[in-house]
Amino acid sequence: MANPTASCDQIFPAELRVAGQRIWVVDDDPELRKMVGTYLTDQGYDVRCLANGEQLLARLAGQRPDLLVLDLMLPGDDGLTLLRRLRDGGDDLPVVMLTARGDAVDRIIGLEQGADDYLAKPFLPRELTARIEAVLRRRVALPAGTPLAEGERIGIGDQVFDLAARTLECDGELTVLKSGEYALLAAFVQHPHRPLSRERLVELARGPDSLTDSRSMDVQVSRLRKLVEPDPARPRYLQTVWGYGYVFVPDGQPRGR
């Protein structure tokens, strides 16, 4: 029987791995690493398991996975610190965050820092796989540089949203949007003046099979407002439809309640 503390390299030698998408699992629990690594390998993924943030950063210096499964509670730099470091450096690597508790605060903070999804422990491996597949489908559906409408540029106040370049431009300065931000803003601009429920926004931005809680859309919209609104506390373009969801108002005119 395999040693439960063995690394994924020992359990899944390179010659036995499936040539599929690369998933890195970062968790300090050897039993969980083995369980998740075995299951994901059986599903056809190329899996590497790491025990801490130091190992992750060392490997990211020369390699890159298609998706990162990142535990919140890690020795040394915790998962949120590592995620923040990635996002602050402009790295849009897809991340599914694992949390030891189903605490809403943990989930909200993770989303605010740029996690693509989250999952509370304990969890079924099948649920983790479903969330991984949903995140990867969103990335395939909206690959970097692929326009929704060729050459289309949409004005949002003083900014211009370039669908092909995936950027916001204001006074000559460009902001490159992360995949989650791009998908959500693209969903809004394709449905101007149409109130969209949280559930509909999840479907449009994350795919019909997404397992994401629709309430997490509030966090995503809040983060997007910081990019497009002159005053995020008084949104003009991404307006709230109370008790329902949100609406994109290109001209920024107030809606009647």
Side-chain angles (χ1 to χ4, degrees), residues 181-253:
E181 297 164 349
Y182 173 73
L184 181 55
L185 187 55
F188 274 121
V189 301
Q190 291 182 101
H191 301 84
H193 301 290
R194 287 177 55 186
L196 300 170
S197 68
R198 294 176 179 84
E199 291 78 11
R200 179 59 173 154
L201 282 169
V202 169
E203 181 179 341
L204 290 170
R206 298 195 163 213
D209 299 325
S210 174
L211 300 175
T212 302
D213 182 348
S214 62
R215 283 290 171 178
S216 70
M217 191 52 62
D218 295 334
V219 177
Q220 304 295 323
V221 172
S222 176
R223 195 164 63 200
L224 189 58
R225 281 173 170 167
K226 293 177 182 178
L227 295 175
V228 304
E229 299 285 357
D231 182 359
R234 295 178 174 82
R236 297 173 55 189
Y237 307 109
L238 304 181
Q239 298 181 20
T240 299
V241 181
W242 298 106
Y244 186 70
Y246 302 93
V247 61
F248 171 56
V249 183
D251 56 12
Q253 295 299 311

Side-chain angles (χ1 to χ4, degrees), residues 153-163 165-177 185 227-228:
R153 292 164 59 86
I154 297 170
I156 306 175
D158 295 332
Q159 302 192 74
V160 176
F161 176 33
D162 190 321
L163 284 158
R166 300 165 63 97
T167 60
L168 278 172
E169 180 179 355
C170 184
D171 296 330
E173 294 189 7
L174 290 179
T175 300
V176 179
L177 299 176
L185 187 55
L227 295 175
V228 304

